[in-house]
């Protein structure tokens, strides 16, 4: 159980294009979803946290107008990279955690990631 | 602020040798610690967490609050253990938010 599907797995597009990445929890309700960015040979850096039905909380240094996050349902969150430029090229990973009485009972479950390449 | 440090980027051992992947953390409250593993070309998976106190695939990790450590150990490494391992921390007021260490690549040689 606890499967998270992320789509697409790979995107190559021209500079100036907006790219949408979807993250779905397939067999559980994800009250919270997280978006990470991972540079080559580096660890995951949290970009933002989104709770279903409310605005996302962005980490310091992450432009919310650049990286639009929508978490409209308990099974879907989207990350849109607006007007993407080559410096936005990276590996983006989502994770989801479900409802529970205590945060300690709900670990994060990760998607496969999306490799974004902006030409 | 919370921080997780994995001092070794790469750890190479021979099959059958003991393994210890180090993890130190900094957090003022009561943290919850996790180990995640990422096998080649696969997604990040939860390996174990300190509250469950269980052994997964022969790995164990004990939270040492005095030393602020959560080292991952296995007495006899197997080739299939080769992967990227990430230590992560969740604070008690962070709403499930995880802070990751830099990761350690474990290579188990035959």
């Amino acid at each position: 159980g606890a499967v998270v599907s992320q789509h697409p797995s790979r995107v190559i597009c021209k500079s100036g294009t907006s790219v949408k990445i979807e993250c779905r929890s397939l067999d559980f309700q994800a009250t919270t979803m997280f978006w990470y960015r991972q540079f080559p040979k580096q660890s995951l850096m949290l970009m933002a946290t989104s709770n279903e039905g409310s605005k996302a909380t962005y980490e310091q240094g992450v432009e919310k107008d650049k990286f639009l996050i929508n978490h409209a349902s308990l099974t879907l969150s989207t990350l849109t990279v607006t007007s993407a430029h080559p410096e936005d090229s990276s590996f983006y990973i989502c994770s989801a955690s479900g409802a529970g009485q205590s945060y300690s009972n709900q670990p994060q479950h990760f998607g496969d990631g999306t490799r974004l390449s902006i030409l | 602020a919370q921080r997780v440090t994995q001092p070794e980027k790469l750890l190479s051992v021979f099959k059958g040798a003991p393994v210890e992947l180090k993890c130190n953390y900094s957090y003022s409250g009561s943290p919850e610690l996790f180990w995640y593993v990422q096998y080649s070309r696969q997604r990040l998976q939860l390996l174990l967490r300190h509250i469950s106190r269980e052994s997964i695939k022969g790995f164990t990790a004990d939270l040492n609050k005095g030393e602020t450590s959560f080292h991952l150990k296995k007495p006899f490494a197997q080739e299939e253990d080769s992967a990227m391992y990430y230590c992560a921390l969740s604070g008690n007021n962070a709403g499930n938010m995880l802070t990751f260490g830099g990761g350690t690549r474990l290579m188990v040689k035959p």
Side-chain angles (χ1 to χ4, degrees):
Chain A
V3 177
V4 174
S5 173
Q6 188 173 340
H7 177 80
S9 58
R10 183 95 165 94
V11 179
I12 302 173
C13 57
K14 293 181 179 180
S15 184
T17 307
S18 291
V19 179
K20 180 185 281 188
I21 303 169
E22 292 187 351
C23 182
R24 294 180 185 272
S25 57
L26 298 186
D27 51 2
F28 68 103
Q29 293 186 324
T31 51
T32 307
M33 287 188 168
F34 304 84
W35 288 95
Y36 296 86
R37 187 170 177 176
Q38 186 176 32
F39 292 102
K41 299 187 186 294
Q42 294 189 28
S43 188
L44 287 78
M45 297 298 295
L46 180 65
M47 297 174 66
T49 303
S50 74
N51 293 295
E52 184 266 336
S54 61
K55 289 184 178 180
T57 302
Y58 289 81
E59 295 301 299
Q60 191 173 8
V62 179
E63 298 176 59
K64 59 182 178 181
D65 294 331
K66 175 75 170 176
F67 300 99
L68 301 178
I69 292 172
N70 184 284
H71 190 169
S73 77
L74 284 171
T75 59
L76 174 64
S77 175
T78 60
L79 167 68
T80 301
V81 183
T82 61
S83 187
H85 289 94
E87 58 266 28
D88 298 323
S89 299
S90 191
F91 193 58
Y92 294 88
I93 306 171
C94 76
S95 71
S97 62
Q101 295 182 349
S102 166
Y103 75 89
S104 64
N105 293 326
Q106 304 300 329
Q108 292 183 30
H109 303 282
F110 287 81
D112 283 326
T114 297
R115 187 162 301 285
L116 176 61
S117 300
I118 308 298
L119 305 177
Chain B
Q2 51 198 60
R3 178 178 291 182
V4 178
T5 303
Q6 293 178 248
E8 303 141 327
K9 286 190 179 296
L10 173 65
L11 183 63
S12 183
V13 302
F14 285 102
K15 176 182 174 182
V19 170
E20 182 179 53
L21 289 84
K22 291 185 169 54
C23 172
N24 289 91
Y25 68 89
S26 173
Y27 184 65
S28 56
S30 292
E32 186 168 359
L33 275 298
F34 304 81
W35 275 100
Y36 281 85
V37 59
Q38 188 171 30
Y39 300 102
S40 178
R41 300 184 184 279
Q42 295 188 29
R43 68 182 62 192
L44 210 61
Q45 304 172 40
L46 178 66
L47 181 61
L48 54 80
R49 47 184 167 161
H50 89 269
I51 59 167
S52 60
R53 303 184 67 82
E54 56 188 345
S55 172
I56 305 294
K57 299 185 179 183
F59 285 97
T60 59
D62 291 317
L63 179 61
N64 186 322
K65 292 187 177 181
E67 295 183 358
T68 60
S69 68
F70 188 56
H71 303 326
L72 183 68
K73 301 177 183 178
K74 184 170 183 175
F76 307 104
Q78 303 298 315
E79 289 182 69
E80 55 266 30
D81 296 329
S82 297
M84 195 74 185
Y85 290 81
Y86 292 96
C87 182
L89 176 153
S90 180
N92 55 2
N93 61 350
N96 259 1
M97 189 183 85
L98 286 173
T99 298
F100 283 87
T104 298
R105 180 168 298 281
L106 175 64
M107 292 180 58
V108 181
K109 296 177 287 188

